[in-house]
Amino acid sequence: MSRLLPVEDAQARLLALRDPLPPENIAFSESLGRYLSHDIVAKRDQPAAPLSAMDGYAIRFADLPGPWTIAGEIPVGAAPAHPLAAGSAMRIFTGAMLPDGADTVVIQEDVAADGARLTLTGDGPAAHGAHIRARGSDFIAGAPLLPAGTRLHPGAIAAAIMGGAAQLGVGARPRVAILTTGDELVQPGRALAPGQIPDSNGTMLAAMLAGEPALVSLPLHIRDDREILARVLKDLARRHDVIVTVGGASVGDHDHVRGALDDAGGTIDFWKIAMRPGKPLIAGTIGDALLLGLPGNPSSAFVTATLLLIPLVRHLAGARDPLPQVRQAALAVSLGPGGQRRDYLRARLDGGLLTPFDGQDSGRTFPLAAANALVIRAIGAAPRDAGEPASYIDIA
Ligand code: AMP
Ligand code: MG
């Protein structure tokens, strides 16, 4: 038996096959889920001047407990027209600039205005500087806001905008083709003849990639025909960065992916990983494109896509940290010993406890509908009792 590649080695070798794609500049509104191609450093102080954090009146702390003469109102979004004189107060709103001379804000609930006269009716500000956002209290110019390779989530986009960036440089999106293979497969929703099954993997993989920075072509399906497969692979390789095939990766008489890759002038980098499900995975290159040959069983396709396809897409799109995060939680039930390959058990994480499902046959799709975690069981792991910790990947 040929040696099976450990999962980490397979991931490292796959990502090492190609560098990330070159960066491109995009608008903020297009940036969700993309990976920064450079560090974001603040170009400005935020706030750039002291601002009020509340609706109320700008005062001098030394003038407490008042009363004050109201000397006008400060508009939001403009510099105050004049400084604050001793004994006076100026009406101010959240986000407006403090006038020179003011050092504290008294909230409007604590005072009463009668014409131009303002008196304290509540406790008043507790300290000098109360209810003021100091200049640079969020960040100062030159502060590192986001490192290159960060995935842009809504909060990160907000920070980049507030830091004064004009647009964002991000890694380009890999173009991904999905190709399902199998004489038994029928388009989703179509009537089935005896022996046929719906092609669920194509649409599942497209859905897994939908939240990723990738340009995914509509899934194609072809029959188990080595010649056609070779021709289609060659053609897809001209227009894609990644070709994902599903099925036909094993050693059956109708498993043609390796042979077709060879016929099309491609090269295999590795085949067969020490994981369950997912052993017969193929990684290779054809022209400038990468080929990832996933096994066809629905759970195998799902698990290998989670561990290899998604990380590959993220790597090409510029991710600093493309691999799935491994977390820890306690087992709700006991778990038997590990075998010769690392297991990724479809499981449910509820209330902080992990329950791997009883039926782990990789041909089943129903557990995929219920699973929100993959429990990782090491090769040769000792049996574990309920309550003991286990590693898992979040797939919710
Ligand atoms: P294969 O890897 O081609 O030997 O396929 C393994 C199993 O997965 C077989 O039972 C196939 O019928 C099934 N299968 C292959 N491709 C798909 C697909 N796209 N959708 C659903 N099941 C599939
Ligand atoms: Mg097949």
Side-chain angles (χ1 to χ4, degrees):
M1 187 176 84
S2 66
R3 182 176 160 271
L4 302 181
L5 204 57
V7 176
E8 279 79 13
D9 294 6
Q11 289 170 322
R13 281 178 69 159
L14 180 67
L15 302 197
L17 285 174
R18 289 285 183 274
D19 288 335
L21 298 172
E24 60 189 22
N25 286 327
I26 53 159
F28 297 114
S29 57
E30 302 294 314
S31 68
L32 183 66
R34 305 291 293 270
Y35 292 98
L36 279 173
S37 57
H38 56 91
D39 296 342
I40 296 276
V41 173
K43 291 185 175 153
R44 53 185 293 278
D45 294 349
Q46 174 56 25
L51 305 180
S52 179
M54 300 293 278
D55 296 327
Y57 292 83
I59 60 164
R60 297 174 182 239
F61 190 70
D63 287 343
L64 275 164
W68 300 266
T69 305
I70 299 172
E73 179 174 317
I74 304 158
V76 176
H82 52 83
L84 184 80
S88 53
M90 288 169 84
R91 185 78 170 114
I92 197 164
F93 301 97
T94 304
M97 264 175 83
L98 240 47
D100 285 342
D103 56 25
T104 301
V105 168
V106 55
I107 60 173
Q108 63 192 32
E109 292 86 345
D110 274 359
V111 287
D114 182 9
R117 189 181 153 85
L118 186 74
T119 50
L120 192 66
T121 54
D123 292 341
H128 178 273
H131 309 308
I132 291 178
R133 296 176 182 149
R135 174 175 184 161
S137 56
D138 193 351
F139 51 77
I140 57 169
L145 295 180
L146 301 163
T150 298
R151 188 173 180 119
L152 286 162
H153 56 84
I157 297 168
I161 292 172
M162 198 57 85
Q167 56 182 359
L168 294 171
V170 298
R173 288 174 291 183
R175 300 159 299 170
V176 182
I178 299 169
L179 186 59
T180 64
T181 68
D183 290 346
E184 75 282 28
L185 300 176
V186 173
Q187 268 193 32
R190 290 274 175 87
L192 301 170
Q196 295 183 322
I197 59 165
D199 177 353
S200 59
N201 286 339
T203 309
M204 176 188 75
L205 291 169
M208 290 177 80
L209 290 168
E212 302 298 326
L215 297 167
V216 185
S217 305
L218 275 183
L220 294 173
H221 167 256
I222 58 169
R223 299 183 63 90
D224 288 314
D225 181 311
R226 177 165 165 168
E227 227 174 276
I228 297 176
L229 182 55
R231 222 179 316 130
V232 171
L233 287 180
K234 223 171 163 172
D235 181 52
L236 290 174
R238 282 193 273 271
R239 292 174 280 116
H240 294 88
D241 301 297
V242 179
I243 304 169
V244 190
T245 61
V246 200
S250 198
V251 290
D253 291 348
H254 303 285
D255 291 338
H256 295 307
V257 173
R258 282 183 311 135
L261 180 63
D262 196 40
D263 297 348
T267 315
I268 290 195
D269 187 76
F270 62 85
W271 179 45
K272 292 191 179 174
I273 305 179
M275 64 189 288
R276 188 171 65 176
K279 179 173 94 170
L281 180 130
I282 300 166
T285 54
I286 170 166
D288 289 332
L290 291 166
L291 178 122
L292 198 58
L294 308 184
N297 275 314
S299 289
S300 310
F302 181 89
V303 169
T304 50
T306 302
L307 287 155
L308 292 137
L309 172 60
I310 303 290
L312 174 64
V313 163
R314 292 179 177 180
H315 162 74
L316 293 173
R320 193 171 45 138
D321 214 0
L323 298 179
Q325 215 187 328
V326 175
R327 305 164 198 261
Q328 299 276 319
L331 289 164
V333 294
S334 62
L335 188 59
Q340 311 246 11
R341 293 183 267 151
R342 186 190 289 170
D343 286 305
Y344 291 90
L345 307 168
R346 277 70 71 209
R348 186 88 211 151
L349 177 69
D350 277 319
L353 293 177
L354 289 164
T355 309
F357 299 144
D358 282 338
Q360 291 289 337
D361 178 346
S362 60
R364 295 194 189 179
T365 38
F366 186 53
L368 287 177
N372 62 3
L374 293 175
V375 168
I376 304 168
R377 180 167 58 187
I379 294 169
R384 257 176 269 175
D385 291 328
E388 290 192 60
S391 300
Y392 74 97
I393 295 169
D394 186 351
I395 54 164

